[in-house]
Amino acid sequence: MKNTLYLKFLLAYLIFGFFGFVVVATFASSMTEDMMRRNKAESLYKVATLVADTYATDLYTSNTSLDTVKNEIDMLDLYLTSTIWIISPSGSIILDSSTPYDVENQVTVENFDPVWNSDTFYTIGTFFDSFEEDVLSVSAPIIVNYKVQGYVVIHTTIQELDNFTNQILNISYITLVILFLLSLIILIFFTNLVYRPLRKITKATEEYAAGNLHYQFQVDSADEIGYLAASLSYMASELARGEDDQKKLVANVSHDFRSPLTSIKGYSEAMLDGTIPPEMHEKYLTIVQNESDRLIKLTNSLLTLNNLNTDGMILDKTDFDVNEIIRKTAATFEGACRQKKISLQLLLTGETLYANADVTKIQQVLYNLLDNAIKFSHKDSVIKIESIEKHNKILISVKDQGIGIPKESIRQIWDRFYKTDLSRGKDKKGTGLGLSITREIIRAHGENINVISTEGEGSEFIFTLPLSDKNED
């Protein structure tokens, strides 16, 4: 972005101000000038018509004297600040409010045309070269016995009108400047509420694009920009967490692969170079085989977990007796239980209890939970496996009397490769992926799995399954 948006907005603001002044200085000025001249002309025309219908008519009907009419138009001249003439059709100025009355030296307007204002009631000019500068002139005929005896003509200087027009325009200019300055508030608001947050967001995207996913920024706004910033920050945190998980996964996989590979390589070289005598080969080949099995188990677990995390995973859901699956799975651990003198107690609801799920994957869940329960249980203890029908769901519980899980580790047990400090000594062959696989399978079914554990007393894993309609038959 590099200031482009801000410069565009600032340029648009300046262009708006410039054209505002241009419009006021041209169109508004011309319109105001025309309006002022027309209003002044209308006002003077009313006065001219009044004088023509009263004093001037009385003068031509001998009802009043020239001196009386001269005094009246002189007073109107002072009031209107305009020159008033009474002029004959031939152009002779009978009375002039701007000069004393002089019968012997009467002034005549050369080339006077009685129909000079036939198209409009006022004109602007020197009035047949009677003035050195332009004046606004209006005229009203003096009609006696249906005959035009003369004209009342009123002149006012254009300069006076222009001065008054300029005063009005100056007010417009000042108002425009004030509005332009006040509109700076919009620019300030744009800077603080839009531009600066966008700069922060842009800076953050540049940092994220450069690989710095831990870059922190904050936009204190409750609008769409604030929501965008929060979404971007959340996206970065998720990407950073994914990157950290990936690094952790690579480190854990490398660690878990390195140990058995080191053992296999070391024992193989020792047998080949004679360090281990032939009579001891069987013992160490057994160790090599166990380590190989461990690598195979780890690889299979990783492939399984990867497939479970793939979007669009297809579940082969069928109706099956979950109680029967529990019995079969428990039977596979008969030897391990006998070795540790552990009793399996099955508390099953009914003879049959049908669930609608992927039977193979649910059997894997049960296998993982039972394997963990036996692995971390004390000798001469009891493991309870229970199935309950509740609220149109099936609840399956696997509860042991083992070492338990520390409170601070409860949330981490679902992470890949995670092993608590208490379990490390007992889980020699574990991959740390069993519970991750278990949770992903249950989530794929749209169900939940939880754990209740007390350190030193044991753990209970509880998960739900959808109840099959077959139970109603």
Side-chain angles (χ1 to χ4, degrees):
M1 193 167 59
K2 300 298 182 185
N3 297 331
T4 303
L5 181 62
Y6 191 72
L7 287 178
K8 286 181 179 179
F9 187 83
L10 185 61
L11 182 62
Y13 175 77
L14 294 176
I15 291 174
F16 168 78
F18 172 75
F19 279 104
F21 278 106
V22 169
V23 169
V24 171
T26 53
F27 298 103
S29 176
S30 176
M31 293 172 62
T32 302
E33 185 179 80
D34 291 343
M35 181 190 70
M36 293 299 299
R37 290 180 178 184
R38 178 172 291 275
N39 289 343
K40 184 67 174 179
E42 290 176 352
S43 176
L44 293 179
Y45 182 75
K46 290 179 181 179
V47 175
T49 302
L50 179 64
V51 172
D53 293 341
T54 55
Y55 305 123
T57 301
D58 290 343
L59 178 64
Y60 279 94
T61 57
S62 301
N63 291 329
T64 186
S65 64
L66 283 172
D67 292 333
T68 301
V69 176
K70 180 67 168 65
N71 290 334
E72 294 295 338
I73 64 175
D74 286 348
M75 292 177 63
L76 286 173
D77 185 321
L78 292 175
Y79 175 74
L80 298 174
T81 63
S82 301
T83 301
I84 303 175
W85 288 355
I86 294 179
I87 188 173
S88 67
S90 63
S92 298
I93 300 176
I94 298 172
L95 291 176
D96 183 352
S97 64
S98 63
T99 60
Y101 172 65
D102 187 355
V103 178
E104 296 180 357
N105 298 312
Q106 202 171 54
V107 179
T108 301
V109 177
E110 298 293 336
N111 301 319
F112 176 71
D113 185 0
V115 295
W116 61 275
N117 62 343
S118 58
D119 295 332
T120 178
F121 65 93
Y122 76 95
T123 61
I124 295 175
T126 58
F127 198 75
F128 303 101
D129 298 325
S130 300
F131 298 92
E132 294 181 355
E133 60 180 2
D134 288 345
V135 294
L136 184 148
S137 304
V138 298
S139 172
I142 303 170
I143 301 175
V144 178
N145 296 324
Y146 304 103
K147 183 179 180 182
V148 176
Q149 302 294 332
Y151 299 93
V152 176
V153 183
I154 302 179
H155 308 287
T156 188
T157 61
I158 291 296
Q159 184 63 41
E160 182 181 353
L161 283 175
D162 289 345
N163 290 338
F164 188 66
T165 301
N166 289 334
Q167 291 177 7
I168 295 177
L169 289 175
N170 287 337
I171 294 174
S172 300
Y173 291 139
I174 293 172
T175 303
L176 184 61
V177 170
I178 293 173
L179 289 176
F180 185 73
L181 294 176
L182 287 175
S183 64
L184 284 173
I185 298 173
I186 299 175
L187 187 62
I188 294 171
F189 270 97
F190 174 81
T191 301
N192 292 329
L193 300 180
V194 178
Y195 175 70
R196 287 181 179 174
L198 283 179
R199 286 298 305 157
K200 290 182 179 180
I201 293 174
T202 303
K203 174 64 175 176
T205 55
E206 291 172 352
E207 292 290 334
Y208 298 150
N212 183 15
L213 295 175
H214 295 282
Y215 177 80
Q216 297 291 328
F217 75 103
Q218 184 175 359
V219 174
D220 296 323
S221 178
D223 54 14
E224 288 81 356
I225 292 181
Y227 179 75
L228 173 63
S231 299
L232 184 64
S233 180
Y234 176 75
M235 179 196 71
S237 65
E238 289 297 305
L239 289 174
R241 189 175 70 174
E243 185 179 40
D244 292 341
D245 289 345
Q246 185 179 17
K247 291 178 180 178
K248 184 179 177 182
L249 175 63
V250 171
N252 287 329
V253 169
S254 299
H255 177 270
D256 281 15
F257 269 82
R258 185 171 57 244
S259 296
L261 286 173
T262 301
S263 297
I264 293 172
K265 185 175 183 297
Y267 292 137
S268 298
E269 290 177 348
M271 285 186 286
L272 287 173
D273 63 17
T275 303
I276 299 177
E279 61 270 15
M280 300 285 292
H281 283 186
E282 184 177 356
K283 173 184 176 182
Y284 289 100
L285 284 174
T286 303
I287 296 175
V288 169
Q289 184 181 15
N290 290 336
E291 293 298 301
S292 299
D293 291 340
R294 182 181 172 191
L295 285 175
I296 293 172
K297 182 178 180 182
L298 180 60
T299 303
N300 291 336
S301 296
L302 284 171
L303 290 173
T304 300
L305 190 58
N306 182 68
N307 291 333
L308 290 174
N309 286 333
T310 302
D311 291 336
M313 179 184 63
I314 299 175
L315 296 175
D316 184 16
K317 291 186 176 182
T318 57
D319 294 326
F320 63 92
D321 183 4
V322 71
N323 288 346
E324 181 63 23
I325 297 300
I326 292 174
R327 295 187 190 99
K328 288 182 179 180
T329 306
T332 62
F333 289 96
E334 185 176 339
C337 291
R338 187 182 302 112
Q339 186 178 356
K340 292 188 67 173
K341 298 181 180 179
I342 294 173
S343 300
L344 292 180
Q345 186 175 357
L346 306 184
L347 304 174
L348 307 179
T349 299
E351 184 64 26
T352 59
L353 182 61
Y354 287 94
N356 181 258
D358 189 318
V359 60
T360 303
K361 290 183 172 58
I362 297 304
Q363 192 168 12
Q364 186 177 1
V365 168
L366 288 168
Y367 184 93
N368 289 343
L369 294 179
L370 268 175
D371 184 47
N372 275 353
I374 294 170
K375 192 181 300 178
F376 300 116
S377 289
H378 301 298
K379 289 185 177 181
D380 299 317
S381 61
V382 177
I383 296 176
K384 294 182 180 180
I385 307 173
E386 187 174 5
S387 65
I388 303 172
E389 180 183 347
K390 189 175 183 180
H391 303 305
N392 207 32
K393 292 283 185 182
I394 297 175
L395 276 69
I396 299 176
S397 166
V398 178
K399 184 177 182 181
D400 63 59
Q401 298 173 346
I403 61 175
I405 303 170
K407 186 176 181 181
E408 63 274 10
S409 300
I410 291 291
R411 291 187 177 181
Q412 296 174 284
I413 62 172
W414 308 108
D415 296 341
R416 300 176 184 181
F417 297 102
Y418 182 79
K419 295 182 182 180
T420 66
D421 292 336
L422 294 178
S423 69
R424 290 189 182 275
K426 295 179 176 289
D427 192 13
K428 300 293 184 180
K429 297 182 180 181
T431 63
L433 296 173
L435 289 179
S436 296
I437 294 173
T438 297
R439 184 177 64 168
E440 293 301 329
I441 291 174
I442 296 301
R443 283 185 172 181
H445 284 80
E447 300 297 328
N448 298 307
I449 182 168
N450 295 299
V451 59
I452 302 170
S453 184
T454 303
E455 190 175 345
E457 296 185 9
S459 305
E460 181 180 12
F461 287 85
I462 306 170
F463 66 92
T464 61
L465 289 176
L467 187 66
S468 170
D469 295 335
K470 195 172 181 180
N471 292 291
E472 299 176 0
D473 297 340

